[in-house]
Structure formats: C-alpha cells, structure tokens
mmCIF file of all heavy atoms in Angstrom:
data_model
loop_
_atom_site.group_PDB
_atom_site.id
_atom_site.type_symbol
_atom_site.label_atom_id
_atom_site.label_comp_id
_atom_site.label_asym_id
_atom_site.label_seq_id
_atom_site.Cartn_x
_atom_site.Cartn_y
_atom_site.Cartn_z
ATOM 1 N N GLU A 1 38.785 -70.967 -0.478
ATOM 2 C CA GLU A 1 37.394 -70.986 -0.938
ATOM 3 C C GLU A 1 36.755 -72.355 -0.709
ATOM 4 O O GLU A 1 35.586 -72.446 -0.326
ATOM 5 C CB GLU A 1 37.335 -70.617 -2.423
ATOM 6 C CG GLU A 1 37.669 -69.155 -2.698
ATOM 7 C CD GLU A 1 37.805 -68.859 -4.180
ATOM 8 O OE1 GLU A 1 37.798 -69.820 -4.995
ATOM 9 O OE2 GLU A 1 37.936 -67.674 -4.544
ATOM 10 N N PHE A 2 37.519 -73.430 -0.924
ATOM 11 C CA PHE A 2 37.012 -74.781 -0.700
ATOM 12 C C PHE A 2 36.647 -74.985 0.765
ATOM 13 O O PHE A 2 35.568 -75.506 1.093
ATOM 14 C CB PHE A 2 38.065 -75.806 -1.129
ATOM 15 C CG PHE A 2 37.749 -77.222 -0.733
ATOM 16 C CD1 PHE A 2 36.930 -78.001 -1.528
ATOM 17 C CD2 PHE A 2 38.265 -77.762 0.438
ATOM 18 C CE1 PHE A 2 36.620 -79.315 -1.152
ATOM 19 C CE2 PHE A 2 37.965 -79.061 0.816
ATOM 20 C CZ PHE A 2 37.143 -79.843 0.027
ATOM 21 N N LEU A 3 37.540 -74.595 1.654
ATOM 22 C CA LEU A 3 37.286 -74.772 3.089
ATOM 23 C C LEU A 3 36.067 -73.971 3.537
ATOM 24 O O LEU A 3 35.225 -74.467 4.295
ATOM 25 C CB LEU A 3 38.523 -74.358 3.881
ATOM 26 C CG LEU A 3 39.772 -75.228 3.671
ATOM 27 C CD1 LEU A 3 40.973 -74.607 4.364
ATOM 28 C CD2 LEU A 3 39.540 -76.644 4.170
ATOM 29 N N THR A 4 35.966 -72.749 3.067
ATOM 30 C CA THR A 4 34.816 -71.906 3.433
ATOM 31 C C THR A 4 33.525 -72.497 2.900
ATOM 32 O O THR A 4 32.511 -72.555 3.608
ATOM 33 C CB THR A 4 35.017 -70.488 2.887
ATOM 34 O OG1 THR A 4 36.227 -69.939 3.419
ATOM 35 C CG2 THR A 4 33.854 -69.588 3.263
ATOM 36 N N ALA A 5 33.539 -72.943 1.631
ATOM 37 C CA ALA A 5 32.334 -73.498 1.011
ATOM 38 C C ALA A 5 31.873 -74.772 1.702
ATOM 39 O O ALA A 5 30.678 -75.107 1.672
ATOM 40 C CB ALA A 5 32.596 -73.771 -0.465
ATOM 41 N N HIS A 6 32.808 -75.495 2.334
ATOM 42 C CA HIS A 6 32.465 -76.755 2.989
ATOM 43 C C HIS A 6 32.419 -76.614 4.515
ATOM 44 O O HIS A 6 32.535 -77.612 5.245
ATOM 45 C CB HIS A 6 33.464 -77.840 2.589
ATOM 46 C CG HIS A 6 33.311 -78.278 1.168
ATOM 47 N ND1 HIS A 6 33.855 -77.565 0.113
ATOM 48 C CD2 HIS A 6 32.649 -79.330 0.612
ATOM 49 C CE1 HIS A 6 33.547 -78.176 -1.027
ATOM 50 N NE2 HIS A 6 32.817 -79.232 -0.763
ATOM 51 N N ALA A 7 32.200 -75.400 4.983
ATOM 52 C CA ALA A 7 31.966 -75.126 6.407
ATOM 53 C C ALA A 7 33.090 -75.645 7.296
ATOM 54 O O ALA A 7 32.852 -76.174 8.387
ATOM 55 C CB ALA A 7 30.620 -75.719 6.843
ATOM 56 N N LEU A 8 34.322 -75.506 6.827
ATOM 57 C CA LEU A 8 35.480 -75.830 7.644
ATOM 58 C C LEU A 8 36.233 -74.534 7.939
ATOM 59 O O LEU A 8 36.890 -73.969 7.068
ATOM 60 C CB LEU A 8 36.394 -76.820 6.922
ATOM 61 C CG LEU A 8 35.910 -78.272 6.835
ATOM 62 C CD1 LEU A 8 36.862 -79.107 5.997
ATOM 63 C CD2 LEU A 8 35.758 -78.893 8.226
ATOM 64 N N GLN A 9 36.099 -74.079 9.168
ATOM 65 C CA GLN A 9 36.784 -72.857 9.554
ATOM 66 C C GLN A 9 38.287 -73.119 9.661
ATOM 67 O O GLN A 9 38.725 -74.258 9.854
ATOM 68 C CB GLN A 9 36.247 -72.347 10.884
ATOM 69 C CG GLN A 9 34.766 -71.966 10.843
ATOM 70 C CD GLN A 9 34.259 -71.521 12.200
ATOM 71 O OE1 GLN A 9 34.855 -71.829 13.238
ATOM 72 N NE2 GLN A 9 33.144 -70.802 12.197
ATOM 73 N N PHE A 10 39.071 -72.058 9.541
ATOM 74 C CA PHE A 10 40.517 -72.195 9.705
ATOM 75 C C PHE A 10 41.075 -70.895 10.252
ATOM 76 O O PHE A 10 40.481 -69.825 10.113
ATOM 77 C CB PHE A 10 41.196 -72.584 8.390
ATOM 78 C CG PHE A 10 40.981 -71.606 7.258
ATOM 79 C CD1 PHE A 10 41.872 -70.570 7.031
ATOM 80 C CD2 PHE A 10 39.876 -71.717 6.426
ATOM 81 C CE1 PHE A 10 41.679 -69.665 5.989
ATOM 82 C CE2 PHE A 10 39.666 -70.822 5.386
ATOM 83 C CZ PHE A 10 40.572 -69.804 5.164
ATOM 84 N N SER A 11 42.244 -70.992 10.879
ATOM 85 C CA SER A 11 42.863 -69.816 11.504
ATOM 86 C C SER A 11 43.720 -69.039 10.517
ATOM 87 O O SER A 11 43.671 -67.810 10.461
ATOM 88 C CB SER A 11 43.714 -70.248 12.702
ATOM 89 O OG SER A 11 42.912 -70.896 13.665
ATOM 90 N N SER A 12 44.546 -69.746 9.742
ATOM 91 C CA SER A 12 45.432 -69.070 8.789
ATOM 92 C C SER A 12 45.755 -70.020 7.649
ATOM 93 O O SER A 12 45.616 -71.241 7.776
ATOM 94 C CB SER A 12 46.733 -68.622 9.470
ATOM 95 O OG SER A 12 47.485 -69.759 9.887
ATOM 96 N N ILE A 13 46.185 -69.432 6.528
ATOM 97 C CA ILE A 13 46.605 -70.242 5.386
ATOM 98 C C ILE A 13 47.848 -69.604 4.768
ATOM 99 O O ILE A 13 47.850 -68.429 4.432
ATOM 100 C CB ILE A 13 45.467 -70.404 4.352
ATOM 101 C CG1 ILE A 13 45.935 -71.242 3.158
ATOM 102 C CG2 ILE A 13 44.933 -69.060 3.888
ATOM 103 C CD1 ILE A 13 44.797 -71.694 2.255
ATOM 104 N N GLU A 14 48.917 -70.394 4.673
ATOM 105 C CA GLU A 14 50.172 -69.935 4.094
ATOM 106 C C GLU A 14 50.431 -70.716 2.806
ATOM 107 O O GLU A 14 50.098 -71.904 2.717
ATOM 108 C CB GLU A 14 51.335 -70.158 5.063
ATOM 109 C CG GLU A 14 51.236 -69.391 6.370
ATOM 110 C CD GLU A 14 51.392 -67.891 6.185
ATOM 111 O OE1 GLU A 14 52.047 -67.484 5.186
ATOM 112 O OE2 GLU A 14 50.880 -67.136 7.017
ATOM 113 N N ALA A 15 51.019 -70.047 1.833
ATOM 114 C CA ALA A 15 51.327 -70.691 0.560
ATOM 115 C C ALA A 15 52.835 -70.745 0.356
ATOM 116 O O ALA A 15 53.554 -69.804 0.705
ATOM 117 C CB ALA A 15 50.667 -69.932 -0.586
ATOM 118 N N TYR A 16 53.306 -71.844 -0.213
ATOM 119 C CA TYR A 16 54.723 -72.040 -0.475
ATOM 120 C C TYR A 16 54.905 -72.532 -1.910
ATOM 121 O O TYR A 16 53.997 -73.117 -2.510
ATOM 122 C CB TYR A 16 55.319 -73.059 0.503
ATOM 123 C CG TYR A 16 55.073 -72.722 1.955
ATOM 124 C CD1 TYR A 16 54.334 -73.578 2.773
ATOM 125 C CD2 TYR A 16 55.572 -71.551 2.509
ATOM 126 C CE1 TYR A 16 54.106 -73.275 4.109
ATOM 127 C CE2 TYR A 16 55.350 -71.239 3.844
ATOM 128 C CZ TYR A 16 54.611 -72.101 4.640
ATOM 129 O OH TYR A 16 54.375 -71.785 5.939
ATOM 130 N N SER A 17 56.107 -72.309 -2.451
ATOM 131 C CA SER A 17 56.358 -72.760 -3.818
ATOM 132 C C SER A 17 57.848 -72.813 -4.101
ATOM 133 O O SER A 17 58.645 -72.084 -3.501
ATOM 134 C CB SER A 17 55.685 -71.834 -4.828
ATOM 135 O OG SER A 17 56.228 -70.525 -4.746
ATOM 136 N N THR A 18 58.209 -73.693 -5.012
ATOM 137 C CA THR A 18 59.526 -73.733 -5.646
ATOM 138 C C THR A 18 59.256 -74.113 -7.095
ATOM 139 O O THR A 18 58.109 -74.350 -7.474
ATOM 140 C CB THR A 18 60.458 -74.788 -4.990
ATOM 141 O OG1 THR A 18 60.057 -76.096 -5.415
ATOM 142 C CG2 THR A 18 60.433 -74.702 -3.477
ATOM 143 N N PRO A 19 60.294 -74.224 -7.928
ATOM 144 C CA PRO A 19 60.027 -74.636 -9.310
ATOM 145 C C PRO A 19 59.382 -76.015 -9.413
ATOM 146 O O PRO A 19 58.747 -76.325 -10.415
ATOM 147 C CB PRO A 19 61.430 -74.649 -9.943
ATOM 148 C CG PRO A 19 62.257 -73.771 -9.084
ATOM 149 C CD PRO A 19 61.709 -73.866 -7.713
ATOM 150 N N ARG A 20 59.510 -76.848 -8.352
ATOM 151 C CA ARG A 20 59.023 -78.239 -8.418
ATOM 152 C C ARG A 20 57.841 -78.512 -7.506
ATOM 153 O O ARG A 20 57.415 -79.667 -7.389
ATOM 154 C CB ARG A 20 60.157 -79.199 -8.039
ATOM 155 C CG ARG A 20 61.361 -79.127 -8.955
ATOM 156 C CD ARG A 20 62.461 -80.051 -8.455
ATOM 157 N NE ARG A 20 62.105 -81.460 -8.559
ATOM 158 C CZ ARG A 20 62.497 -82.402 -7.702
ATOM 159 N NH1 ARG A 20 63.242 -82.072 -6.652
ATOM 160 N NH2 ARG A 20 62.158 -83.653 -7.885
ATOM 161 N N ARG A 21 57.291 -77.483 -6.862
ATOM 162 C CA ARG A 21 56.213 -77.781 -5.924
ATOM 163 C C ARG A 21 55.356 -76.547 -5.666
ATOM 164 O O ARG A 21 55.829 -75.406 -5.706
ATOM 165 C CB ARG A 21 56.763 -78.335 -4.613
ATOM 166 C CG ARG A 21 57.538 -77.343 -3.775
ATOM 167 C CD ARG A 21 58.431 -78.050 -2.775
ATOM 168 N NE ARG A 21 59.614 -78.606 -3.420
ATOM 169 C CZ ARG A 21 60.020 -79.876 -3.301
ATOM 170 N NH1 ARG A 21 59.354 -80.714 -2.543
ATOM 171 N NH2 ARG A 21 61.115 -80.286 -3.915
ATOM 172 N N LEU A 22 54.074 -76.815 -5.416
ATOM 173 C CA LEU A 22 53.124 -75.809 -4.941
ATOM 174 C C LEU A 22 52.518 -76.369 -3.668
ATOM 175 O O LEU A 22 52.122 -77.544 -3.632
ATOM 176 C CB LEU A 22 52.019 -75.563 -5.974
ATOM 177 C CG LEU A 22 52.449 -75.091 -7.361
ATOM 178 C CD1 LEU A 22 51.271 -75.139 -8.334
ATOM 179 C CD2 LEU A 22 53.015 -73.677 -7.293
ATOM 180 N N ALA A 23 52.435 -75.549 -2.627
ATOM 181 C CA ALA A 23 51.959 -76.077 -1.352
ATOM 182 C C ALA A 23 51.170 -75.037 -0.573
ATOM 183 O O ALA A 23 51.383 -73.825 -0.736
ATOM 184 C CB ALA A 23 53.147 -76.567 -0.514
ATOM 185 N N VAL A 24 50.261 -75.542 0.288
ATOM 186 C CA VAL A 24 49.570 -74.686 1.259
ATOM 187 C C VAL A 24 49.619 -75.370 2.615
ATOM 188 O O VAL A 24 49.571 -76.605 2.717
ATOM 189 C CB VAL A 24 48.100 -74.409 0.864
ATOM 190 C CG1 VAL A 24 48.022 -73.447 -0.299
ATOM 191 C CG2 VAL A 24 47.336 -75.687 0.561
ATOM 192 N N TYR A 25 49.708 -74.544 3.647
ATOM 193 C CA TYR A 25 49.701 -75.011 5.033
ATOM 194 C C TYR A 25 48.610 -74.228 5.749
ATOM 195 O O TYR A 25 48.675 -73.006 5.833
ATOM 196 C CB TYR A 25 51.070 -74.770 5.668
ATOM 197 C CG TYR A 25 51.151 -75.071 7.149
ATOM 198 C CD1 TYR A 25 51.010 -76.376 7.619
ATOM 199 C CD2 TYR A 25 51.371 -74.053 8.065
ATOM 200 C CE1 TYR A 25 51.094 -76.658 8.977
ATOM 201 C CE2 TYR A 25 51.470 -74.321 9.430
ATOM 202 C CZ TYR A 25 51.326 -75.628 9.880
ATOM 203 O OH TYR A 25 51.404 -75.899 11.224
ATOM 204 N N VAL A 26 47.595 -74.962 6.238
ATOM 205 C CA VAL A 26 46.418 -74.327 6.831
ATOM 206 C C VAL A 26 46.328 -74.728 8.294
ATOM 207 O O VAL A 26 46.397 -75.929 8.621
ATOM 208 C CB VAL A 26 45.127 -74.751 6.099
ATOM 209 C CG1 VAL A 26 43.950 -73.899 6.563
ATOM 210 C CG2 VAL A 26 45.292 -74.645 4.587
ATOM 211 N N THR A 27 46.160 -73.761 9.171
ATOM 212 C CA THR A 27 46.096 -74.053 10.609
ATOM 213 C C THR A 27 44.673 -73.911 11.131
ATOM 214 O O THR A 27 43.845 -73.194 10.568
ATOM 215 C CB THR A 27 47.004 -73.105 11.401
ATOM 216 O OG1 THR A 27 46.524 -71.753 11.247
ATOM 217 C CG2 THR A 27 48.440 -73.182 10.910
ATOM 218 N N GLY A 28 44.436 -74.630 12.231
ATOM 219 C CA GLY A 28 43.196 -74.439 12.989
ATOM 220 C C GLY A 28 41.942 -74.971 12.340
ATOM 221 O O GLY A 28 40.857 -74.389 12.512
ATOM 222 N N ILE A 29 42.022 -76.103 11.641
ATOM 223 C CA ILE A 29 40.826 -76.696 11.034
ATOM 224 C C ILE A 29 40.210 -77.668 12.039
ATOM 225 O O ILE A 29 40.896 -78.559 12.547
ATOM 226 C CB ILE A 29 41.170 -77.442 9.731
ATOM 227 C CG1 ILE A 29 41.798 -76.480 8.713
ATOM 228 C CG2 ILE A 29 39.934 -78.100 9.132
ATOM 229 C CD1 ILE A 29 42.261 -77.157 7.438
ATOM 230 N N PRO A 30 38.919 -77.552 12.344
ATOM 231 C CA PRO A 30 38.286 -78.486 13.287
ATOM 232 C C PRO A 30 38.234 -79.896 12.714
ATOM 233 O O PRO A 30 38.321 -80.100 11.500
ATOM 234 C CB PRO A 30 36.881 -77.900 13.472
ATOM 235 C CG PRO A 30 36.637 -77.099 12.246
ATOM 236 C CD PRO A 30 37.979 -76.557 11.830
ATOM 237 N N GLU A 31 38.066 -80.880 13.597
ATOM 238 C CA GLU A 31 38.070 -82.276 13.159
ATOM 239 C C GLU A 31 36.807 -82.648 12.400
ATOM 240 O O GLU A 31 36.772 -83.675 11.719
ATOM 241 C CB GLU A 31 38.259 -83.207 14.355
ATOM 242 C CG GLU A 31 39.645 -83.088 14.979
ATOM 243 C CD GLU A 31 39.912 -84.194 15.979
ATOM 244 O OE1 GLU A 31 39.992 -85.366 15.553
ATOM 245 O OE2 GLU A 31 40.028 -83.885 17.176
ATOM 246 N N SER A 32 35.780 -81.843 12.528
ATOM 247 C CA SER A 32 34.563 -82.109 11.755
ATOM 248 C C SER A 32 33.845 -80.797 11.496
ATOM 249 O O SER A 32 34.083 -79.790 12.175
ATOM 250 C CB SER A 32 33.639 -83.076 12.503
ATOM 251 O OG SER A 32 33.156 -82.480 13.694
ATOM 252 N N GLN A 33 32.963 -80.847 10.508
ATOM 253 C CA GLN A 33 32.116 -79.688 10.253
ATOM 254 C C GLN A 33 31.179 -79.466 11.435
ATOM 255 O O GLN A 33 30.833 -80.413 12.143
ATOM 256 C CB GLN A 33 31.272 -79.917 8.993
ATOM 257 C CG GLN A 33 32.039 -80.050 7.703
ATOM 258 C CD GLN A 33 31.137 -80.475 6.563
ATOM 259 O OE1 GLN A 33 30.275 -81.333 6.736
ATOM 260 N NE2 GLN A 33 31.341 -79.886 5.387
ATOM 261 N N SER A 34 30.764 -78.254 11.638
ATOM 262 C CA SER A 34 29.781 -77.969 12.685
ATOM 263 C C SER A 34 28.425 -78.524 12.266
ATOM 264 O O SER A 34 28.081 -78.524 11.076
ATOM 265 C CB SER A 34 29.674 -76.460 12.923
ATOM 266 O OG SER A 34 30.913 -75.932 13.323
ATOM 267 N N ASP A 35 27.671 -79.018 13.252
ATOM 268 C CA ASP A 35 26.289 -79.409 12.962
ATOM 269 C C ASP A 35 25.498 -78.162 12.606
ATOM 270 O O ASP A 35 25.717 -77.081 13.176
ATOM 271 C CB ASP A 35 25.652 -80.088 14.176
ATOM 272 C CG ASP A 35 26.338 -81.402 14.528
ATOM 273 O OD1 ASP A 35 27.061 -81.924 13.663
ATOM 274 O OD2 ASP A 35 26.152 -81.886 15.658
ATOM 275 N N THR A 36 24.585 -78.306 11.663
ATOM 276 C CA THR A 36 23.791 -77.155 11.243
ATOM 277 C C THR A 36 22.306 -77.416 11.458
ATOM 278 O O THR A 36 21.853 -78.573 11.457
ATOM 279 C CB THR A 36 24.023 -76.834 9.757
ATOM 280 O OG1 THR A 36 23.660 -77.961 8.965
ATOM 281 C CG2 THR A 36 25.466 -76.474 9.493
ATOM 282 N N GLN A 37 21.586 -76.349 11.667
ATOM 283 C CA GLN A 37 20.130 -76.420 11.844
ATOM 284 C C GLN A 37 19.511 -75.369 10.941
ATOM 285 O O GLN A 37 19.822 -74.187 11.050
ATOM 286 C CB GLN A 37 19.764 -76.171 13.304
ATOM 287 C CG GLN A 37 18.279 -76.268 13.599
ATOM 288 C CD GLN A 37 17.994 -76.222 15.090
ATOM 289 O OE1 GLN A 37 18.459 -77.076 15.844
ATOM 290 N NE2 GLN A 37 17.251 -75.216 15.519
ATOM 291 N N GLU A 38 18.651 -75.820 10.037
ATOM 292 C CA GLU A 38 18.096 -74.926 9.029
ATOM 293 C C GLU A 38 16.580 -75.040 8.991
ATOM 294 O O GLU A 38 16.036 -76.147 8.987
ATOM 295 C CB GLU A 38 18.669 -75.294 7.659
ATOM 296 C CG GLU A 38 18.176 -74.441 6.514
ATOM 297 C CD GLU A 38 18.684 -74.943 5.178
ATOM 298 O OE1 GLU A 38 19.297 -76.025 5.129
ATOM 299 O OE2 GLU A 38 18.432 -74.252 4.175
ATOM 300 N N GLU A 39 15.919 -73.917 9.009
ATOM 301 C CA GLU A 39 14.456 -73.890 8.900
ATOM 302 C C GLU A 39 14.094 -73.753 7.422
ATOM 303 O O GLU A 39 14.485 -72.790 6.763
ATOM 304 C CB GLU A 39 13.884 -72.718 9.695
ATOM 305 C CG GLU A 39 12.403 -72.853 9.968
ATOM 306 C CD GLU A 39 11.907 -71.803 10.948
ATOM 307 O OE1 GLU A 39 12.164 -70.614 10.708
ATOM 308 O OE2 GLU A 39 11.271 -72.175 11.945
#
C-alpha cells in the first residue's frame, strides 16, 4: 500500500518471517517516481 500510494510500481512482493524477524522482498521498483502532469 505504501509503494502504491507513493507512485512506486513494483513487480512482486514476498513476505518472510521467523520468531525473530519480519521481512519483505520487493522486486522491480524503479529508481525514481514517474514524472506526473496534472491539469
């Protein structure tokens, strides 16, 4: 939701966990947000 709300597209998101950690691995994020044009 954070990535979508901040106009950062991504290809996939995987979640991992153990009793001592919570993690996400996200692929395909561009190096910058796209330029936008709004009327």
Side-chain angles (χ1 to χ4, degrees):
E1 290 172 352
F2 170 84
L3 294 172
T4 301
H6 289 81
L8 286 175
Q9 297 178 340
F10 59 92
S11 300
S12 66
I13 179 167
E14 297 291 334
Y16 306 118
S17 63
T18 75
R20 299 177 67 213
R21 69 200 76 232
L22 301 170
V24 287
Y25 174 66
V26 190
T27 64
I29 300 176
E31 292 191 66
S32 66
Q33 296 172 319
S34 300
D35 296 343
T36 60
Q37 182 171 300
E38 180 185 7
E39 197 171 52

